[in-house]
Amino acid sequence: MPPSARTSGRPHVLSVLVENRAGVLARVASLFSRRGFNIFSLAVAPTDDERFSRITIVVDVESSPLEQVINQLNKLINVVAISELDPADATERELLLATVTADARVRGQVVQLVSMFAGKIVDVGVDQLTVMVAGAPAKVDDFERLVRPFGIVELQRTGRVALPRLGQPIDEPGRDG
Amino acid sequence: MKLTGAQALIKSLEQKGVEVIFGLPGGAILPVYDPILDSSIRHVLVRHEQGAGHMAEGYAHVTGRPGVAMVTSGPGATNIVTPLADAYMDSVPLVVITGQVATAAIGTDAFQECDTTGVTMGVTKHNWLITDAQDIPRTVAEAFHVATTGRPGPVLIDVPKDVSNDLVDWYWPDSVELPGYQPLTGADPALVREAAELIARSARPVVYAGGGILKARASDALGELVQRTGIPVVTTLMARGAFPDDHPLCLGMPGMHGNYTAVTAMQKSDLLIALGSRFDDRITGKLAAFAPGAKVIHVDIDPAELGKVRKPDVGIAADCRLAIEALIDALAAIGVGGGAPAAGTPGHSRPDLAPWTAQIRAWQEQFPLSYDRAAPGPPLKPQYVVEALRDNTPDDTVLVAGVGQHQMWASQYWRFRHPYTWVNSGGLGTMGFAVPAAIGAKVGRPGATVWAIDGDGCFQMTAQELVTASAERIPVKIAILNNAYLGMVRQWQEMFYDERYSEVYLSPDLPDYVGWAEAMGCVGLRVTEPEEVVPAIEKANDVDDRPVVIDFRTDAAEKVYPMVPAGASNDEIVVDPLHGQGGR
């Protein structure tokens, strides 16, 4: 979802623990859609406990108050717990895959850029490279900006995943509020 | 004990104490209709699935118990989407069971297949697609728990045909385990104390009572709060009857078509005590100009309602009855409403409410609800018909309405004295609600007289359910305020579109309502003259073996007043022409 003028605020990350059941992602997505909430990114995967999955949602809190987003999400029966992760108090990571135009002339520069971001070349074509960079979202943003002038053929980001930073108190708006 | 999934489903409904199912069979739900023959549960066979849903709603409104409807897959399921959406908006507990194509056929565009859980996701509190027959008893238990606890609402269980035929080792769960669902109950004592302090300091308080009062069975608690504090009450469209209209502190309905006093008291208030209400746009008018000087105490069982529209000064997420009871105690502790205030408590400085109630009396005298009583007809004044019904029906009559002008007149001119005697479609505004909802209400309260006030446009949407009512001997009474128009739309076109009437004329004679009623097995009556009104009502009251339909020929020019134009501030309320322009 491309950022727009009204989505300029600092994004908030919600870490949403859900029951691992068919249709849960659809329920969450449908809620955001019908309430007019905007999602920057969304990542979902099972947790170590097979009964639950974790959905990491980056929400635009300029368009709708975070409290309202959390309260509405909490009403979904399959949502078990919601933690708000302030980017300052969270470890966040995102992965980027990009196929970049890189003929012999510039291939070295691309490889060098990828290496500066501790990325990897994951596929090599005649005049294209597919590269992978993982890291904090801001760092991935930087890489995307720097690699773009070479010519992006295709680009895919995962959306961020996040966990609370160790030793930091986290705000956990629960059902008792 | 081995049962089929279908038998287990019906047995589970029996376990939950279900006494009636409103439904219509079809291919995918066929297996479940077989054990109904052997069950104690009554089945009411509707003529259209929408009717089943609204009947279940009417039943739930008057009994407080969840309404149960059962329909087949595909079109059966889509036909009940409107009642689900209606029940979701008005927090009505429903359990809807839909058939589904066999699990192996799901996703193949099979005959009468529809993604029912997908379609209804946004209009149910929760829904389930059962893929293993062994899950049926547990799912039914969960469904009733979710529908009836917390903020009530509709739920749906989708049952594929093969799952209904599979065998189940019967069990009944002792408890429900839903890790993500812990509905709230009691109120935070610290917040309740804060609320009590605000009440003790306010000079112009108003209780803004919403449908949550009825859902929480909190009418008695509200009555006690008002008795102890002397605070006037407005009852929203969903809360009519939650506080008796003949109580001197009842100001009646606020909002777009609320009476002048209820609307203006909220506007001028310094403290709104919102109990189970949700600051709906039809109440607030232009939000930025709504009750600008008021602090807000907001009690709601749904935390998402607190601050959704208006940020409360004290927001209490709790069951309304428990919160009101806690508030009564907290007020007594600071010397408000609990006998003599203790020395040195803040209660000592509580402002005198007498100037406020005197101001309210003055508004009531200056701007009463009114219409031209000197000219009751013909054509009949619709308000006159509502008053005649009010004055010639038993005190505890259940009144049901559709949506539009007739609904507003019904809510304005009736005198509600008891909770659960008013059934209407508030949030969704579903035309065609009245006839089936009245039937459901009569099934739920067979001893009560059930009258529906309906519009001619509404009546034509769901009238076929009177066939159901005749066949099942459910003697409801329907008063059609027949003005031959989609009246509310006509009113807006008259007021806001320079009387350019676009697609609102229906005709008074097509259909012939009396002939239609008789064809459906009802008594049909037509009333054109004012002096015929009361005799016709009395005649209808005497009929107890079949439904009655009265075609009241009403004045199409009559408009609903007062009115706050859409998007305008509530200060710009327009009262009826007899009481002046704008009423200010």
Side-chain angles (χ1 to χ4, degrees):
Chain A
M1 195 175 299
S4 66
R6 65 181 196 133
T7 60
S8 54
R10 192 170 63 157
H12 279 251
V13 182
L14 294 179
S15 177
V16 183
L17 191 68
V18 298
E19 285 187 90
N20 195 0
R21 287 177 189 269
V24 172
L25 183 60
R27 289 180 199 279
V28 171
S30 150
L31 172 75
F32 272 75
S33 157
R34 72 175 180 270
R35 292 280 174 189
F37 303 153
N38 282 341
I39 302 178
F40 280 130
S41 75
L42 184 149
V44 57
T47 62
D48 56 332
D49 183 337
E50 65 180 16
R51 292 172 301 159
F52 302 110
S53 290
R54 188 173 292 283
I55 304 180
T56 307
I57 311 172
V58 182
V59 292
D60 162 20
V61 293
E62 296 293 299
S63 65
S64 33
L66 186 68
E67 191 187 9
Q68 184 60 204
V69 176
I70 290 171
N71 281 337
Q72 293 292 354
L73 270 175
N74 248 330
K75 285 166 69 171
L76 296 179
I77 307 296
N78 296 136
V79 168
V80 177
I82 303 172
S83 319
E84 186 208 342
L85 301 176
D86 189 313
D89 297 327
T91 300
E92 300 177 288
R93 287 296 178 269
E94 192 171 1
L95 186 144
L96 172 152
L97 279 179
T99 299
V100 184
T101 309
D103 57 24
R105 224 162 17 90
V106 296
R107 185 172 292 158
Q109 293 172 49
V110 173
V111 170
Q112 197 180 9
L113 183 64
V114 170
S115 124
M116 279 193 290
F117 278 83
K120 278 188 178 153
I121 310 296
V122 291
D123 199 6
V124 181
V126 177
D127 53 4
Q128 292 180 341
L129 292 173
T130 296
V131 304
M132 178 192 87
V133 167
K139 190 178 140 187
V140 176
D141 288 346
D142 290 345
F143 176 78
E144 186 180 332
R145 197 160 31 82
L146 291 167
V147 82
R148 193 166 285 283
F150 293 99
I152 306 259
V153 180
E154 269 192 286
L155 184 141
Q156 179 67 56
R157 291 171 68 152
T158 56
R160 66 186 82 181
V161 292
L163 287 174
R165 258 170 63 185
L166 301 179
Q168 301 288 326
I170 64 164
D171 183 19
E172 195 146 5
R175 288 172 189 284
D176 55 349
Chain B
M1 179 174 43
K2 288 273 189 195
L3 298 179
T4 66
Q7 290 167 333
L9 180 56
I10 295 301
K11 195 173 169 66
S12 299
L13 297 178
E14 290 169 351
Q15 289 283 338
K16 291 308 302 182
V18 173
E19 57 176 18
V20 59
I21 297 171
F22 303 95
L24 191 123
I29 197 73
L30 258 172
V32 187
Y33 267 80
D34 188 71
I36 285 179
L37 288 173
D38 306 318
S39 172
S40 59
I41 299 175
R42 176 183 184 187
H43 183 275
V44 172
L45 174 63
V46 300
R47 266 48 179 181
H48 185 290
E49 290 90 346
Q50 184 188 359
H54 292 319
M55 286 179 205
E57 288 189 89
Y59 176 89
H61 268 286
V62 299
T63 64
R65 297 194 295 274
V68 178
M70 187 154 73
V71 299
T72 195
S73 64
T78 55
N79 277 344
I80 210 162
V81 170
T82 298
L84 284 169
D86 190 272
Y88 191 55
M89 282 287 243
D90 288 346
S91 307
V92 181
L94 292 191
V95 177
V96 171
I97 293 156
T98 49
Q100 181 55 277
V101 300
T103 45
I106 289 178
T108 67
D109 303 318
F111 177 64
Q112 292 191 331
E113 183 185 358
C114 164
D115 173 16
T116 302
T117 49
V119 167
T120 59
M121 198 173 275
V123 294
T124 52
K125 190 171 168 187
H126 194 59
N127 59 26
W128 291 259
L129 170 64
I130 301 186
T131 53
D132 180 346
Q134 200 59 38
D135 292 341
I136 288 174
R138 180 177 55 77
T139 306
V140 171
E142 288 176 358
F144 277 80
H145 180 63
V146 170
T148 54
T149 54
R151 180 178 184 168
V155 300
L156 179 143
I157 307 174
D158 201 20
V159 190
K161 193 170 187 178
D162 57 324
V163 170
S164 296
N165 287 325
D166 284 348
L167 291 179
V168 178
D169 282 319
W170 170 255
Y171 65 99
W172 183 247
D174 297 329
S175 60
V176 169
E177 279 177 48
L178 292 166
Y181 183 68
Q182 280 102 34
L184 296 163
T185 47
D188 179 340
L191 292 172
V192 172
R193 279 195 298 274
E194 273 185 57
E197 291 290 343
L198 282 183
I199 291 171
R201 286 200 296 271
S202 83
R204 299 186 308 281
V206 173
V207 170
Y208 161 27
I213 295 282
L214 293 169
K215 300 302 186 309
R217 322 302 282 185
S219 289
D220 290 346
L222 172 63
E224 189 177 344
L225 176 72
V226 174
Q227 213 56 47
R228 283 166 172 250
T229 58
I231 299 174
V233 181
V234 300
T235 50
T236 69
L237 182 65
M238 292 311 297
R240 305 287 291 129
F243 187 72
D245 279 336
D246 50 7
H247 191 288
L249 287 169
C250 190
L251 311 187
M253 183 174 77
M256 179 176 269
H257 293 296
N259 71 75
Y260 182 90
T261 304
V263 171
T264 307
M266 289 179 93
Q267 282 303 95
K268 306 295 184 197
S269 164
D270 68 351
L271 179 67
L272 288 178
I273 306 160
L275 303 175
S277 45
R278 59 182 177 87
F279 296 86
D280 180 84
D281 57 89
R282 280 332 196 228
I283 298 290
T284 64
K286 184 181 175 187
L287 189 59
F290 173 65
K295 286 192 181 326
V296 171
I297 297 167
H298 193 175
V299 178
D300 203 290
I301 197 159
D302 180 357
E305 288 302 337
L306 307 179
K308 185 184 81 177
V309 175
R310 169 95 172 224
K311 192 171 166 49
D313 296 274
V314 179
I316 301 176
D319 173 87
C320 252
R321 184 177 60 79
L322 297 176
I324 294 170
E325 287 169 359
L327 193 54
I328 289 169
D329 291 344
L331 284 164
I334 58 171
V336 177
T345 62
H348 260 315
S349 56
R350 188 183 182 208
D352 181 9
L353 297 190
W356 178 230
T357 44
Q359 170 66 75
I360 283 169
R361 290 284 160 266
W363 286 327
Q364 284 176 326
E365 278 167 32
Q366 196 180 355
F367 299 113
L369 272 179
S370 66
Y371 65 96
D372 190 358
R373 282 186 172 81
L380 300 167
K381 291 289 184 205
Q383 303 95 328
Y384 171 76
V385 177
V386 174
E387 287 184 322
L389 282 162
R390 176 194 69 196
D391 296 338
N392 293 280
T393 49
D395 175 57
D396 60 347
T397 295
V398 173
L399 184 67
V400 187
V403 169
Q405 286 183 314
H406 70 274
Q407 173 194 28
M408 293 297 107
W409 286 318
S411 176
Q412 288 177 336
Y413 285 90
W414 205 261
R415 249 193 320 272
F416 295 97
R417 293 193 180 88
H418 307 283
Y420 314 108
T421 56
W422 168 239
V423 180
N424 88 133
S425 164
L428 196 68
T430 306
M431 285 180 66
F433 177 82
V435 168
I439 294 168
K442 181 70 178 171
V443 170
R445 299 252 315 267
T449 300
V450 177
W451 270 96
I453 293 180
D454 213 1
D456 47 321
C458 278
F459 182 81
Q460 292 189 56
M461 288 195 175
T462 50
Q464 81 286 341
E465 296 309 336
L466 286 171
V467 179
T468 305
S470 292
E472 298 270 347
R473 303 262 168 217
I474 304 165
V476 294
K477 304 174 202 309
I478 316 291
I480 306 173
L481 303 186
N482 177 8
N483 64 357
Y485 275 95
L486 297 169
M488 189 59 94
V489 185
R490 183 191 188 281
Q491 175 168 342
W492 283 53
Q493 290 179 346
E494 177 182 335
M495 294 173 75
F496 309 120
Y497 291 86
D498 298 327
E499 301 182 36
R500 285 164 52 85
Y501 298 117
S502 175
E503 303 297 329
V504 287
Y505 180 69
L506 295 176
S507 161
D509 303 306
L510 183 67
D512 167 3
Y513 293 97
V514 171
W516 192 8
E518 286 170 353
M520 293 189 288
C522 311
V523 174
L525 304 168
R526 177 167 295 124
V527 177
T528 54
E529 303 295 325
E531 56 274 16
E532 295 170 352
V533 170
V534 171
I537 293 166
E538 285 172 346
K539 192 169 174 189
N541 282 333
D542 289 341
V543 176
D544 202 31
D545 61 343
R546 72 194 70 189
V548 183
V549 176
I550 309 182
D551 172 16
F552 288 105
R553 296 300 177 91
T554 60
D555 184 355
E558 201 57 36
K559 291 191 283 295
V560 181
Y561 287 117
M563 177 171 192
V564 178
S569 156
N570 282 354
D571 291 331
E572 294 168 51
I573 184 169
V574 179
V575 298
D576 62 283
L578 294 175
H579 287 85
Q581 280 293 318
R584 281 156 297 150

